Amino acid sequence: MTTLVFGHKSPDTDSTGSPLIWEWFLNHTGIEAKAALLGDPNTEATFVTKRWGFDLPEIIADVEDDQSCVIVDTNNPAELPANINNADVLAVIDHHKLAGGLETKNPINITVRPLACTATIMHQMMGEHAGHMPEGIKGLMLSCILSDTLAFRSPTTTEIDKDLAENLAKDLGVDIEAYASEMFEAKSDVSAFSDAELLRMDSKEYEVDGKKFRVSVLETTAPQIVLDRKDALIKEMPKVAKTDKVDEVLLFVVDIIKEEATMLIPNDMVKTVAEKSFDATVEGDSVVLPGIMSRKKQIIPALKV
């Protein structure tokens, strides 16, 4: 049986590129594998995939019983297919905190490391096989790291991530700042997406003190494009929350250049979350949070209700 490799339901660059990277590695080492997606990738991920000569993986709605699979860039069942606990999960490769709730049929290989990017972990796991990576796989790996570290601006960045990215860029003859700018420009083009799609584009579900949140982050070099749609987004947030069976949608628009986030405030509950979590003073329907860039390291750990 072909082993499927996939990430979470809101595919960003790491959750699109890493399945393709691990597909290559497994096939390279004699294991038949195929990358898959659990949803439409964002614009940056689409750009990166095309830039390095790959077709986007097939989007799957669920997995069948006993389907062999490798989970990357998440370990949270809320971000995975509904039938995941009946599949044959062979491995998890991730860089997020353990969420709990994932069940497997047998003991498996779990690799969770405090690095900024799943692709960096994969490079470590490949060992000497990393020397056989073709240009396209190197390009995907570089892209994943630049995306997850916001070109080394994110506080999640480690020297391991940075050193690997710089070595990959040197091998590929790529200027990191110029290429990262292309990536971020692609990510900033959200004109084709509806308000609901924007709220779900890069989002994860978390429970905090009994409240369920969809925590959405839009990283952009042109935040005003998103903020110009603020009224419509705020109107859509309770509809998405109801449809997705969460208490609230929390939206953070991250300005990559200024290194700050603007959090939209649709109601009193979200206002309380913002003030308690980030020691902010909220006046109106948004608040600027200086220095906040990382959902994993700065937003999720800080959330209070």
Side-chain angles (χ1 to χ4, degrees):
M1 178 184 291
T2 300
T3 296
L4 295 180
V5 186
F6 50 78
H8 49 75
K9 289 180 180 178
S10 301
D12 54 9
T13 297
D14 196 21
S15 212
T16 302
S18 286
L20 287 165
I21 293 167
W22 209 242
E23 173 194 85
W24 170 81
F25 174 71
L26 291 179
N27 284 312
H28 175 73
T29 54
I31 300 171
E32 185 177 348
K34 180 181 178 182
L37 295 175
L38 302 186
D40 292 316
N42 67 19
T43 49
E44 181 188 78
T46 301
F47 163 77
V48 162
T49 306
K50 182 178 180 181
R51 166 66 176 79
W52 294 103
F54 294 88
D55 293 327
L56 286 170
E58 177 186 1
I59 297 174
I60 60 173
D62 208 343
V63 288
E64 297 181 356
D65 289 355
D66 301 318
Q67 169 66 55
S68 61
C69 57
V70 174
I71 298 169
V72 305
D73 198 29
T74 186
N75 65 82
N76 187 349
E79 300 173 356
L80 292 167
N83 198 44
I84 191 63
N85 284 343
N86 293 315
D88 185 13
V89 178
L90 303 178
V92 174
I93 307 171
D94 192 18
H95 63 132
H96 296 93
K97 70 174 186 176
L98 293 176
L102 185 64
E103 298 180 10
T104 62
K105 295 181 178 296
N106 299 291
I108 69 169
N109 291 310
I110 300 178
T111 306
V112 180
R113 296 176 183 171
L115 298 175
C117 182
T118 306
T120 306
I121 300 171
M122 290 179 168
H123 185 269
Q124 292 181 329
M125 294 174 67
M126 287 179 186
E128 63 183 14
H129 295 288
H132 299 283
M133 290 190 300
E135 180 175 283
I137 295 298
K138 290 181 181 180
L140 288 178
M141 189 171 284
L142 171 63
S143 304
C144 291
I145 298 169
L146 294 179
S147 178
D148 268 11
T149 66
L150 298 179
F152 315 140
R153 295 176 177 88
S154 172
T156 62
T157 308
T158 71
E159 286 302 313
I160 294 172
D161 297 289
K162 187 176 181 180
D163 288 348
L164 175 57
E166 289 175 344
N167 288 332
L168 289 167
K170 183 178 180 180
D171 288 346
L172 293 166
V174 169
D175 179 274
I176 284 180
E177 284 301 320
Y179 178 54
S181 293
E182 290 184 66
M183 290 173 53
F184 299 153
E185 182 178 348
K187 183 185 291 188
S188 300
D189 181 10
V190 295
S191 57
F193 294 92
S194 69
D195 297 320
E197 288 171 332
L198 274 183
L199 292 172
R200 295 187 177 100
M201 181 178 291
D202 186 356
S203 66
K204 298 176 183 291
E205 293 182 21
Y206 290 95
E207 185 171 329
V208 181
D209 295 335
K211 295 292 185 180
K212 293 182 178 179
F213 297 114
R214 175 172 290 285
V215 184
S216 303
V217 174
L218 294 176
E219 300 161 340
T220 176
T221 54
Q224 199 58 45
I225 293 175
V226 178
L227 296 175
D228 283 344
R229 298 168 61 172
K230 179 175 63 176
D231 291 346
L233 288 166
I234 285 176
K235 185 177 180 180
E236 192 67 25
M237 289 166 83
K239 299 177 186 178
V240 169
K242 183 177 181 180
T243 300
D244 295 355
K245 299 179 181 179
V246 298
D247 292 290
E248 297 288 347
V249 174
L250 307 181
L251 176 62
F252 300 81
V253 182
V254 173
D255 186 328
I256 297 171
I257 304 301
K258 290 186 177 180
E259 300 188 14
E260 64 184 21
T262 299
M263 182 180 180
L264 299 197
I265 311 295
N267 54 43
D268 286 342
M269 181 179 177
V270 175
K271 177 181 177 181
T272 298
V273 170
E275 292 181 334
K276 286 186 176 181
S277 304
F278 305 104
D279 194 25
T281 300
V282 178
E283 297 177 357
D285 55 10
S286 67
V287 60
V288 175
L289 305 174
I292 299 297
M293 301 184 72
S294 169
R295 174 172 45 209
K296 179 176 62 177
K297 193 165 185 176
Q298 295 174 303
I299 296 174
I300 298 303
L303 288 181
K304 299 180 181 69
V305 296

